Amino acid sequence: MIGAIAAPWTAPLSDAQYQVTGYVLGVATLAFLAGTIRSVMTKGEVGSRYRPVVSARVSILVVAFLSYLGLAIAFVLSYHRVGDHWLPGSSSTALTTLRYLEWSVTVPLLCLELLGVCGLVGDAARRAGRVAIGCAFLMIASGFVGGITSQSAASGGGTGVGGRAATLDGGMLVSGGLVGCLFWAGLVVVLVRAVRASRDTLTAASWRLLVRANAILLISFVVYPIVYALPLFGASGAWSTLMQVAYTVADVTVKLVFGNVVLRVAKMRTAEDVRAGDDVHAESIWISSEKVSDAGVALEVHLAEGSAVHQRRSEQPTGSAVAAPSPSISAGAEAEADRGN
């Protein structure tokens, strides 16, 4: 039976540990801001089939940027210099709570981002998406229950402000982690099956990129349960700093590096659809300064039965453009009006 253990956010930090933690939080915040801007500016580089992937990517980066901005602010406000150390205040729990709030939104979206470039379509795609979202959310929720809600405070002898030392229920921490690992295993099965089912529908180049993206996502996911278990080994300033740095590096990897590879898959598949005549795209597609497709236009337009084909009219200069005539005016009346003018 595992008893109470010290919460990692109650440990005092040395000057070096404080500076390192603040540095990585600040760099991650700016990186997510830059990633958000880039994603918005490049959203037109993929075809309409993969626009949901871009929407998920932008949403992930916006949420991550706002969360890390909150983490950076909470970190500065939570620690106070006392002598040679930085002591945590009562709000230091927010440094972990904010992470769980962000993960509850971004981890399901990361799964949808990967599934969006797989070869699944129709009911198979919707079913995989529902299972992935459910497993991802429950995985994070289990970790939140075990790692945050099991906290209790004992007065006296604490290192934090007011002499209160927060502790965690070790049994709940382990139980929450084990339950979360079960949902993690289910998530891995869904994603691996989706990628394997896409092999026959993708080209060799797209398949290799998709496998790489899946590997980055799943390997990054392994980091989180390892860091989650670190409080079992101690709650010193070194362990606390290691946890913050490891979580931040994993977040940057899974949201930026993984996202860039998924974007390459989406662009590659868009180019393949254009070359095959299955889709159109307004501009040529380049990946790593290499043109993979020219701009694609529709070869023919399919109209509803009985509809007429309208001839294209030359565009007037913007300065002399006028409103189109009302549909109620007949062609003869329109011609008569022109002669009158």
Side-chain angles (χ1 to χ4, degrees):
M1 183 67 179
I2 302 176
I5 58 177
W9 47 83
T10 62
L13 303 179
S14 66
D15 277 335
Q17 293 163 353
Y18 180 85
Q19 296 295 337
V20 168
T21 303
Y23 175 78
V24 295
L25 291 178
V27 170
T29 302
L30 296 177
F32 287 132
L33 175 60
T36 300
I37 295 173
R38 181 177 183 274
S39 296
V40 172
M41 298 297 294
T42 59
K43 63 181 180 181
E45 295 182 358
V46 302
S48 57
R49 180 178 179 180
Y50 307 105
R51 294 293 164 78
V53 175
V54 178
S55 298
R57 176 172 168 76
V58 172
S59 300
I60 289 168
L61 293 175
V62 169
V63 173
F65 165 67
L66 294 177
S67 298
Y68 267 82
L69 181 61
L71 282 170
I73 294 174
F75 177 73
V76 172
L77 297 179
S78 298
Y79 283 84
H80 307 273
R81 180 69 178 266
V82 178
D84 295 333
H85 291 82
W86 292 84
L87 299 185
S90 58
S91 60
S92 59
T93 310
L95 291 174
T96 305
T97 303
L98 280 174
R99 291 189 181 277
Y100 279 99
L101 294 177
E102 184 242 311
W103 294 335
S104 298
V105 176
T106 57
V107 173
L109 289 175
L110 285 167
C111 299
L112 291 183
E113 190 178 4
L114 178 66
L115 293 174
V117 292
C118 290
L120 301 179
V121 297
D123 290 338
R126 289 188 290 270
R127 184 166 53 252
R130 288 193 295 267
V131 175
I133 289 176
C135 288
F137 179 80
L138 292 174
M139 175 180 67
I140 301 302
S142 300
F144 177 77
V145 171
I148 299 296
T149 63
S150 64
Q151 174 182 323
S152 61
S155 61
T159 57
V161 174
R164 299 180 65 82
T167 61
L168 298 175
D169 186 325
M172 286 189 64
L173 182 74
V174 173
S175 299
L178 292 176
V179 172
C181 286
L182 293 178
F183 290 115
W184 172 80
L187 181 62
V188 170
V189 171
V190 172
L191 296 181
V192 170
R193 284 184 176 178
V195 172
R196 292 183 61 183
S198 305
R199 185 167 190 172
D200 295 335
T201 60
L202 271 63
T203 64
S206 296
W207 164 253
R208 287 194 297 269
L209 282 176
L210 181 61
V211 171
R212 185 186 306 174
N214 190 42
I216 293 173
L217 183 64
L218 295 183
I219 292 174
S220 299
F221 278 175
V222 174
V223 175
Y224 295 94
I226 294 177
V227 180
Y228 173 89
L230 288 182
L232 296 173
F233 301 95
S236 64
W239 283 117
S240 178
T241 302
L242 177 61
M243 290 181 67
Q244 294 296 333
V245 172
Y247 276 144
T248 302
V249 171
D251 280 345
V252 170
T253 300
V254 78
K255 295 178 177 68
L256 290 178
V257 179
F258 163 77
N260 286 335
V261 178
V262 169
L263 179 62
R264 289 184 61 189
V265 177
K267 291 174 65 174
M268 182 71 73
R269 296 203 62 188
T270 297
E272 293 166 356
D273 290 344
V274 171
R275 294 198 302 266
D278 293 333
D279 200 0
V280 299
H281 200 259
E283 58 186 13
S284 57
I285 301 173
W286 296 76
I287 299 179
S288 301
S289 300
E290 179 183 2
K291 180 183 282 189
V292 293
S293 173
D294 289 319
V297 296
L299 301 178
E300 57 182 326
V301 178
H302 299 277
L303 301 174
E305 185 177 355
S307 62
V309 176
H310 299 276
Q311 297 297 325
R312 180 183 298 273
R313 296 184 298 177
S314 59
E315 294 184 0
Q316 295 181 345
T318 304
S320 60
V322 295
S326 172
S328 61
I329 300 177
S330 62
E334 185 176 359
E336 184 71 19
D338 290 338
R339 285 195 297 270
N341 292 333

